[in-house]
Amino acid sequence: MRPEIAALPAYRQGRPAVSDGYKLSSNENPFGPLAAIVEAASAATVNRYPDATGPELRAQLAERFGVTAEEVHLGAGSVALLSQFMLAVCGPGGEVVYAWRSFEAYPGLVTVAGGRSVQVPLAADGRHDLAAMADAVADATRAIVVCSPNNPTGPAVRADEFEALMERLPPDLLVLLDEAYAEFVRDPAAVDGARLLRRWPNLVVLRTFSKAWGLAGLRLGYAIGPEAVLDAARAVAVPLSVTGQAQRAGAVALAHEDLLLERVEHIVDTRSRVVEGLRALGLDVPDAQGNFVWLPLGDRTAEADDVLHAHGITARAFPGDGIRVSIGEPESVERLLAAAAVFIL
Ligand SMILES: Cc1ncc(COP(=O)(O)O)c(C=O)c1O
């Protein structure tokens, strides 16, 4: 084995729910799939391979974002796309700059690609420190990942800060703007990758059907960016990993945007209740722009996680740092706040 692979911790999935409890550990969508989506997915052929490039869904996405189909690339979840870009750019000694704490898959993906992570600490309020990230760029830097809103802390990067970062970076340094939670953002000052397409030759925006669109189990994400950059990801992709089911479900989901975004609105309302409730209890919850909230509990994390568990809430604890709680069923809010009232005491 490569020693760095043997030393790599396995990807830690969110714990399952306890019976009669709520699984708020993986930022999933609590709403079940629309009947039309289930129908479309089950109508897809299974004895033949899918179309490798998903031309119909790509055309739909291209139209939506005002780009060509060649500027859209599908992946089996946006995590697969992140992996492809890391493999495409890293090479031995290549560095990838990203904020920390952020999406827990980043370190492993960089290591597997043969690269080295350069983690830039978040500011105290859980925000990216983009100036420090730009300072961390060196000759060996191959990519920089900006996660907005940041998983697990919640704030979105501001549009003006992001544009200033892009202007500072060399045009041949890949910038991945990971917007897995874009549809939940309500901060008017937040960056919106969809408005920045084609402005820089090195910017790729990553989005997913897993969160707002409720298709986490089908594995479908997409990248939008310059064709030549996406071609590099296409070259390293495991062929045929985006299933026909996922492609058809994604197309139907887009056709039912109004209904699905109405659900997102409900999740955003629930998020407000959670944030306000936790702050009223005295917890210093950072701005929450995704479908999750961050409880910066430090040393009290493990103890608080036990209290949540005893109240039937399965969340994602990062020992010594904090707990991320996904926004789930409206009924989970009361339980969450009851548990928080116990561990905040
Ligand atoms: C910031 C971020 N990026 C990417 C992903 C990957 O999502 P998926 O592979 O389901 O599209 C996640 C999932 O939790 C995430 O939080």
Side-chain angles (χ1 to χ4, degrees), residues 32-225:
L34 298 177
I37 290 179
V38 176
E39 229 170 82
S42 33
T45 311
V46 294
N47 61 314
R48 308 272 181 206
Y49 289 111
D51 188 308
T53 63
E56 282 166 32
L57 179 57
R58 273 174 49 234
Q60 237 176 313
L61 288 165
E63 196 186 333
R64 190 185 178 83
F65 288 97
V67 296
T68 65
E70 289 69 38
E71 291 167 289
V72 181
H73 169 46
L74 305 178
S78 52
V79 74
L81 298 165
L82 282 162
S83 164
Q84 290 165 20
F85 286 107
M86 297 307 161
L87 288 167
V89 301
C90 274
E95 294 181 352
V96 179
V97 172
Y98 54 88
W100 198 251
R101 177 174 295 278
S102 192
F103 180 33
E104 63 263 39
Y106 296 154
L109 295 175
V110 173
T111 303
V112 169
R116 202 178 77 76
S117 284
V118 177
Q119 301 182 333
V120 178
L122 293 169
D125 54 0
R127 292 181 178 277
H128 277 49
D129 183 345
L130 292 185
M133 288 173 74
D135 290 343
V137 170
D139 286 348
T141 311
R142 296 287 168 267
I144 172 162
V145 187
V146 175
C147 183
S148 179
N150 188 49
N151 171 14
T153 54
V157 167
R158 285 208 328 261
D160 57 348
E161 286 176 309
F162 184 78
E163 289 174 35
L165 172 76
M166 290 304 301
E167 293 301 330
R168 245 189 97 177
L169 296 175
D172 61 350
L173 174 64
L174 176 64
V175 181
L176 296 172
L177 177 58
D178 183 348
E179 294 191 311
Y181 304 95
E183 297 85 351
F184 300 102
V185 172
R186 294 295 177 271
D187 174 359
V191 67
D192 175 1
R195 302 171 72 162
L196 302 178
L197 300 170
R198 292 187 168 162
R199 247 176 84 185
W200 292 279
N202 52 334
L203 175 63
V204 173
V205 174
L206 300 177
R207 296 219 174 160
T208 180
F209 281 91
S210 295
K211 311 294 179 180
W213 302 86
L215 301 183
L218 280 173
R219 315 303 301 123
L220 183 63
Y222 55 98
I224 310 180

